[in-house]
Amino acid sequence: MPNSLIYPEVDFLKPLFASVETMSGVGPTTARLLQNLGCTTIQDLLWHLPQEVQIRRFSPAIKFSCPNELITLQVRVISHSVLRKQKGRLTPYRVICSDSEDSIELVFFNPNLRYLKNALVVGSEVIISGRFEVYKGRFQMTHPDHIGPLTTRDFWEGAEPVYSLTQGIHQKSLQKIIKSALGECPQLPEWLSSNILKKYHWPSWREALQKLHSPSQEGDLSLEHPYRRRLAYDEILSNQLSLILTRCQAETSQGHTLIGDGQLQQNVLKTLPFSLTQDQVQALEEIQRDMASSSRMVRLLQGDVGSGKTIVAFLCMLRAVEAGYQVALLAPTEILARQHYKTMEDWARIAKIKLGLLISKDTAKQRQKIYHSLAEGDINIVVGTHALIQPEVQFKNLGFIVIDEQHRFGVEQRLNLAEKGTNIDILSMTATPIPRTLMLTVFGDLTSSYLRQKPSNRKDIITTILPLTRLNEIMMSLKRALQKGDKVYWVCPLIEESESLDLAAAEERFAILQTLFPEQVGLIHGRLKSHEREATMQAFIEGSIKVLVATTVIEVGVHVEDASVIIIEHAERFGLAQLHQLRGRIGRGSQESYCLLLYSDPLNPTARARLNVMRSTTDGFKIAEEDLRLRGGGEVFGIKQSGMPSFKFFDPIAHQDLLLQAHDNAQAILSKDPHLLGPQGQALRILLRLFEREQTFKYIKAA
Ligand code: ADP
Ligand code: MG
């Protein structure tokens, strides 16, 4: 009886999902401005939390005000200045006001005279509010926030939220808009149990929001405050519910029993120039055990860059092929897809199976050919990008999929691929070092296999941190390295998220290096056509180019075994996860490798500490943990860039305890009420909607 729902969740949420324009006083112009703040619905406005609190005091007399203080005064208007020009420019316009003892000047630049004459009638008493200044011994207030009749006094006293703004919207108007949005906020059925509410002294969802928007002191906005924690908990609970639901859906369904005779695997293993590490052997066993079982596999293979995930995944793919199924490997970028294809090409030839590559840039004709071979079952393993997800792609009998860097794909995309067969076994791989605390928010407690050891033939990478001012010396060592025959990556950073500036910097560096080392330098960046990029990469691999200048496009997956030096300019601008990925481009062969992190002075203490982490360890997990620990109040830089989910209220450090609590709680809830049909379950559906876990919805709806 899935449809006997008490709460039609959509109706409840209608007011929240309404456009900001439905509010009185918000027209198309304001709506456009609000959009710049990321606010298109009432809910967005409610979620635009204040950044600080401002306290405004009513000061009984001018002399009792302090410099720089935000105050409200009752004064009498004495006189208006005359508009004068000085050196061709208008001088500021002044209105002198006073109380019984002192006087204060209101200062206006580019005044609206008609307005001021009306609002500040000489001889009248008014309320003014703004920042109190002392300038050359005189009291003044520049552009008061408020000028009004005596009746307005009470509105201009007390604490007020301060929001981040966008050009064209004033603090006061945003405060007003958000206040009226709060008026639209419905009381939703409580989805948290009374136990939890009591345990943490939490208010209702609506009250928490209301309180956060009307803080009375700085502490009210802290991450530790119950109001904030309540919302953080809601968010992370919906995240955990959604992960568990998705996973249960996958795991409870029947899977294929993928058992092979091991022949294909043996053929490949025999010819490998190395033997598998202990971790690889173990991961292989774990994965194959899941594949062989009759329930569906959903497993994660975790291993740092260069730990050798590809061969493990490939051997598993062979197992599926032995069992008579087709396999798809989904990669997040074209470069990575090509890379995988290239790596597996030799192995596939040895195993005598057919490997295909499918990317969006293929011509229609090429694509048609692949579609055909996939539908006919001629291709055993296909590697591809999002192109694999397209509806035209049909398989004869897809039985196993491998998803590389799963967090770069949406749930939807992953499902679309999985729906191209029935009950497909899924192996995800990740090289993104995710702090353990965040792991749970990204993958839930997905069963994992780990590759912790690096293949034993690897030498360590020596990391050095140097200021950019020593560029001359660096060029000298570069020269020596090139004479020795080293291959070098030179990475130029993203400059303020602007692709064109970014490119300019890389091109400039390329030009300089080109004059120093003629004919030995290549440049790749995101704007090049893929065949140009390929050609340059090929030249680098073959060695006709020795220095490869690149923007961060080389970050993912590029594999040139004998590249042994990487120089990263403005390393301080990169996230640690990203630096780690970049550094993983070297140290792939058996020669000693060097990583130079160049920074521009002055380096703040946090930035220095971050670079020191890079110098002291090459362990991705350690780096990720440290990154999380060291970051300031802002974003986890590397994580944001690597496509991790970002949270509105939940803070992975401050709210760690809540994550664990939410995880346990979500499990308990779903074990009692797997389809969220009981009263609390139905309230939780509202929560899931609120945080737009739409996809999850499909499961509980289908249930
Ligand atoms: P990952 O995908 O985990 O970043 P790869 O699978 O690309 O790493 O492996 C990096 C390189 O190490 C490849 O050239 C691969 O052939 C090689 N490799 C994998 N396993 C071993 C091993 N056990 N011993 C030596 N080299 C290995
Ligand atoms: Mg199975």
Side-chain angles (χ1 to χ4, degrees):
M1 34 117 242
N3 284 325
S4 59
L5 296 181
I6 311 169
Y7 303 126
E9 63 275 353
V10 181
D11 284 355
F12 266 103
L13 294 172
K14 241 184 208 146
L16 288 172
F17 293 163
S19 147
V20 293
E21 258 187 86
T22 59
M23 292 194 298
S24 64
V26 179
T29 319
T30 312
R32 250 193 316 278
L33 293 172
L34 289 173
Q35 201 168 3
N36 295 340
L37 284 174
C39 299
T40 55
T41 64
I42 307 258
Q43 170 176 284
D44 296 331
L45 283 173
L46 297 179
W47 285 5
H48 191 69
L49 295 185
Q51 295 183 307
E52 50 184 296
V53 191
Q54 202 165 269
I55 311 285
R56 200 182 287 269
R57 186 173 66 90
F58 181 79
S59 178
I62 294 172
K63 69 175 175 197
F64 293 134
S65 311
C66 307
N68 230 7
E69 191 189 11
L70 210 54
I71 52 155
T72 299
L73 286 169
Q74 180 174 337
V75 291
R76 187 176 296 282
V77 181
I78 304 298
S79 64
H80 284 234
S81 73
V82 191
L83 216 46
R84 277 184 301 129
K85 267 194 179 168
Q86 213 171 46
K87 293 179 190 156
R89 283 245 223 66
L90 283 178
T91 56
Y93 186 76
R94 290 166 195 279
V95 178
I96 299 176
C97 301
S98 74
D99 59 13
S100 54
E101 289 182 46
D102 301 285
S103 62
I104 181 168
E105 286 181 18
L106 310 185
V107 183
F108 301 90
F109 299 90
N110 296 320
N112 175 343
L113 282 186
R114 173 138 21 121
Y115 163 74
L116 289 181
K117 291 257 153 74
N118 269 326
L120 295 163
V121 177
V122 173
S124 68
E125 273 202 291
V126 291
I127 297 293
I128 57 169
S129 188
R131 204 162 290 284
F132 184 76
E133 299 157 4
V134 182
Y135 181 70
K136 293 188 177 161
R138 292 189 307 202
F139 302 134
Q140 66 174 39
M141 188 179 280
T142 310
H143 288 274
D145 298 330
H146 172 71
I147 299 168
L150 300 188
T151 50
T152 58
R153 176 193 145 162
D154 288 351
F155 297 111
W156 292 86
E157 190 178 359
E160 52 198 88
V162 180
Y163 297 102
S164 66
L165 296 174
T166 180
Q167 184 133 36
I169 295 192
H170 293 290
Q171 195 58 249
K172 270 291 154 196
S173 23
L174 188 57
Q175 284 172 7
K176 221 160 150 191
I177 291 169
I178 291 181
K179 199 160 197 171
S180 82
L182 279 166
E184 308 284 322
C185 179
Q187 179 77 55
L188 300 176
E190 183 56 74
W191 47 75
L192 296 186
S193 71
S194 50
N195 285 345
I196 291 235
L197 293 177
K198 262 195 227 116
K199 173 172 171 189
Y200 292 114
H201 308 286
W202 283 342
S204 72
W205 172 79
R206 184 167 76 164
E207 198 187 337
L209 270 177
Q210 281 168 340
K211 290 276 172 52
L212 279 168
H213 283 290
S214 45
S216 57
Q217 53 193 6
E218 206 59 57
D220 290 353
L221 296 178
S222 91
L223 292 172
E224 274 76 32
H225 198 283
Y227 307 148
R228 176 61 184 267
R229 278 169 61 87
R230 151 94 216 214
L231 298 183
Y233 187 77
D234 286 340
E235 183 170 38
I236 203 66
L237 179 65
S238 95
N239 162 273
Q240 290 300 303
L241 282 171
S242 165
L243 283 169
I244 297 173
L245 277 165
T246 314
R247 184 169 147 216
C248 288
Q249 159 74 17
E251 281 183 348
T252 51
S253 48
Q254 274 284 309
H256 299 290
T257 319
L258 297 175
I259 303 178
D261 60 8
Q263 202 50 54
L264 295 177
Q265 279 194 352
Q266 278 314 315
N267 291 346
V268 171
L269 279 169
K270 264 197 312 231
T271 59
L272 283 182
F274 51 79
S275 53
L276 298 183
T277 63
Q278 197 60 43
D279 282 357
Q280 283 172 318
V281 172
Q282 190 183 335
L284 194 59
E285 274 170 12
E286 289 168 354
I287 298 166
Q288 295 193 146
R289 199 181 318 129
D290 279 6
M291 290 174 78
S293 95
S294 61
S295 55
R296 192 171 181 183
M297 171 171 85
V298 191
R299 187 178 269 275
L300 180 66
L301 176 60
Q302 286 194 71
D304 221 335
V305 274
S307 59
K309 292 183 295 299
T310 320
I311 183 69
V312 174
F314 186 77
L315 292 169
C316 298
M317 294 181 202
L318 286 184
R319 174 55 52 104
V321 175
E322 285 168 8
Y325 288 96
Q326 285 175 296
V327 179
L329 166 62
L330 179 63
T333 65
E334 195 184 308
I335 295 189
L336 206 52
R338 284 177 188 281
Q339 187 89 49
H340 280 309
Y341 179 76
K342 218 148 92 208
T343 315
M344 303 194 312
E345 230 175 358
D346 292 337
W347 299 334
R349 201 175 317 111
I350 294 160
K352 299 203 180 65
I353 58 160
K354 186 117 196 298
L355 186 68
L357 176 68
L358 185 66
I359 50 182
S360 331
K361 291 219 182 100
D362 289 337
T363 64
K365 211 167 141 200
Q366 285 169 319
R367 276 201 306 256
Q368 284 307 330
K369 216 174 128 196
I370 303 261
Y371 293 161
H372 185 76
S373 319
L374 285 173
E376 292 293 310
D378 295 340
I379 291 181
N380 305 104
I381 298 179
V382 64
V383 180
T385 54
H386 295 83
L388 281 177
I389 300 167
Q390 301 316 308
E392 299 81 51
V393 182
Q394 299 292 336
F395 291 83
K396 183 158 180 236
N397 60 346
L398 183 63
F400 181 48
I401 60 183
V402 179
I403 304 176
D404 196 10
E405 299 294 349
Q406 145 172 331
H407 56 271
R408 294 210 176 192
F409 298 95
V411 184
E412 183 97 33
Q413 295 172 316
R414 272 144 43 200
L415 284 174
N416 284 345
L417 182 58
E419 278 164 8
K420 290 187 186 295
T422 41
N423 308 325
I424 295 174
D425 278 2
I426 304 172
L427 177 68
S428 300
M429 304 196 284
T430 180
T432 303
I434 307 164
R436 265 175 282 277
T437 38
L438 280 181
M439 196 65 203
L440 205 52
T441 69
V442 182
F443 297 108
D445 46 10
L446 203 62
T447 326
S448 288
S449 297
Y450 299 91
L451 303 183
R452 299 185 197 279
Q453 314 160 308
K454 290 258 163 93
S456 57
N457 57 355
R458 302 283 159 73
K459 285 254 171 64
D460 277 346
I461 299 172
I462 296 161
T463 301
T464 314
I465 304 173
L466 280 174
L468 267 164
T469 46
R470 288 172 61 183
L471 205 56
N472 279 340
E473 276 168 72
I474 293 158
M475 292 299 183
M476 293 305 290
S477 5
L478 181 57
K479 192 170 173 184
R480 280 194 300 276
L482 291 179
Q483 279 162 355
K484 235 175 57 199
D486 285 342
K487 281 186 192 169
V488 179
Y489 292 107
W490 188 301
V491 183
C492 301
L494 201 70
I495 296 169
E496 286 165 10
E497 319 258 312
S498 147
E499 213 188 321
S500 51
L501 281 177
D502 193 18
L503 194 57
E507 275 172 343
E508 193 185 321
R509 181 57 66 212
F510 170 67
I512 293 169
L513 288 165
Q514 180 86 302
T515 54
L516 291 173
F517 312 106
E519 318 261 298
Q520 296 190 61
V521 190
L523 171 68
I524 57 168
H525 53 74
R527 293 258 187 94
L528 289 179
K529 297 221 171 62
S530 72
H531 71 268
E532 297 170 314
R533 208 154 58 194
E534 289 284 296
T536 308
M537 275 313 295
Q538 200 52 40
F540 186 59
I541 291 167
E542 283 162 7
S544 53
I545 287 173
K546 290 277 174 26
V547 183
L548 187 64
V549 179
T551 53
T552 43
V553 293
I554 65 157
E555 181 197 347
V556 190
V558 175
H559 179 69
V560 179
E561 197 152 304
D562 58 351
S564 57
V565 179
I566 189 163
I567 299 174
I568 303 173
E569 243 181 278
H570 286 291
E572 78 279 2
R573 292 187 193 159
F574 289 91
L576 289 192
Q578 213 180 4
L579 287 177
H580 178 69
Q581 290 282 348
L582 285 169
R583 186 168 58 182
R585 297 311 106 210
I586 58 166
R588 305 190 140 227
S590 50
Q591 73 272 45
E592 198 114 274
S593 298
Y594 299 88
C595 169
L596 254 61
L597 302 177
L598 308 184
Y599 63 88
S600 75
D601 267 323
L603 205 53
N604 70 45
T606 313
R608 184 170 296 277
R610 287 157 58 89
L611 293 184
N612 277 331
V613 171
M614 290 303 295
R615 184 168 56 191
S616 63
T617 180
T618 52
D619 178 334
F621 287 96
K622 242 189 227 157
I623 291 173
E625 300 278 345
E626 285 295 300
D627 195 17
L628 194 57
R629 200 180 58 77
L630 280 172
R631 94 203 150 114
E635 282 289 338
V636 184
F637 196 27
I639 286 174
K640 189 174 170 198
Q641 282 167 345
S642 61
M644 292 287 161
S646 59
F647 293 100
K648 219 116 207 132
F649 306 112
F650 170 75
D651 179 285
I653 293 182
H655 303 139
Q656 246 181 72
D657 61 323
L658 295 185
L659 170 58
L660 298 177
Q661 171 88 58
H663 178 70
D664 292 348
N665 202 7
Q667 263 175 337
I669 291 167
L670 289 172
S671 71
K672 266 198 263 150
D673 183 9
H675 302 303
L676 298 180
L677 292 172
Q680 193 197 0
Q682 294 189 39
L684 283 163
R685 287 166 172 253
I686 296 175
L687 174 71
L688 286 169
R689 268 272 190 230
L690 202 55
F691 285 97
E692 293 173 74
R693 313 267 177 217
E694 295 290 334
Q695 195 57 41
T696 313
F697 241 69
K698 206 160 115 186
Y699 298 142
I700 45 181
K701 274 265 155 67

